[in-house]
Amino acid sequence: PLMKLLFGLPYFFLHPTIPTEHPSWTGAGAGSQWTNTQWEFGRAFLSEANDNGRQLVFWSRITTVLLTGALAIAVYAFASAVYGTTAGLLATLLFATNPDIIAHGGLATTDLGVTAFTFLAVFAAWRYAQRPGTTRLLLAAAAFMLSVKGPASHVLYALLPAVLIYSLYCWAPSLEKPAGRRAAIALLVCGGVTLTALGMRNLH
């Protein structure tokens, strides 16, 4: 996932030791007791191979903090563009005091990345729909590509519903016509069935 790659960027400057001789690295593979070894490798990396584990974690968390700040700016920009400056400030206040954002906005986990890139993808698509142009189209495409680089479940449970809702928003003027209503209902039914089927498959 993209966020894990971003967490590793500071290490280009910190030059930590990578314990490639540890069994969690060399013994990984099908049929091995080390098949799922990211936790063992993480402990070896932060506690055994390096004596500055707290510093390594700190700089990875800074990546999330910066992304949280960018998301706050995007929330303000989106809300103020739709409803005005007052709404933008209120939305940003609610965002900044949201317990989930406070909890995850400083952790080196993928949760905040999923939230940020999904929001940015929808925002970029909305801006393109408001005033189509080559630059806005490229930005929307780039934002969408970044958003799908999260965990696979994110595409099912976060990005696809956002796309469905946004599609209905774009079709709103035509929903007064029977054809528009039928298309919207078909989209929601197909999307719901797909999400349910794939979700049940993940559980198995």
Side-chain angles (χ1 to χ4, degrees):
L2 175 63
M3 286 303 296
K4 293 184 179 181
L5 297 176
L6 294 178
F7 294 147
L9 285 179
Y11 299 165
F12 282 104
F13 306 97
L14 298 173
H15 306 291
T17 300
I18 310 297
T20 55
E21 301 300 323
H22 193 272
S24 61
W25 182 281
T26 59
S32 168
Q33 63 171 330
W34 299 96
T35 300
N36 186 10
T37 59
Q38 58 179 330
W39 308 114
E40 288 79 4
F41 182 81
R43 280 189 284 270
F45 174 67
L46 294 173
S47 303
E48 300 173 15
N50 298 279
D51 58 2
N52 61 339
R54 287 183 177 273
Q55 182 187 29
L56 296 175
V57 172
F58 170 81
W59 284 107
S60 291
R61 288 180 171 182
I62 287 295
T63 302
T64 308
V65 171
L66 294 175
L67 187 58
T68 303
L71 179 55
I73 294 172
V75 167
Y76 170 78
F78 200 173
S80 60
V82 178
Y83 297 112
T85 303
T86 302
L89 293 173
L90 178 59
T92 307
L93 175 63
L94 294 174
F95 170 84
T97 56
N98 184 289
D100 289 325
I101 298 300
I102 295 173
H104 294 278
L107 300 179
T109 61
T110 59
D111 301 272
L112 199 283
V114 167
T115 303
F117 289 123
T118 299
F119 184 86
L120 291 173
V122 176
F123 184 25
W126 178 84
R127 291 184 75 247
Y128 172 75
Q130 295 302 303
R131 196 174 67 199
T134 302
T135 301
R136 292 193 174 197
L137 177 61
L138 293 175
L139 288 174
F144 180 80
M145 286 188 291
L146 289 174
S147 68
V148 299
K149 292 302 290 180
S153 59
H154 146 66
V155 178
L156 298 179
Y157 304 121
L159 187 60
L160 187 54
V163 171
L164 290 173
I165 293 171
Y166 181 69
S167 298
L168 285 178
Y169 168 79
C170 292
W171 285 351
S174 64
L175 293 183
E176 296 179 358
K177 302 176 182 179
R181 287 197 297 271
R182 286 196 296 269
I185 293 172
L187 178 65
L188 287 176
V189 170
C190 291
V193 170
T194 301
L195 286 173
T196 303
L198 293 176
M200 292 177 65
R201 183 182 178 189
N202 271 353
L203 290 177
H204 291 294

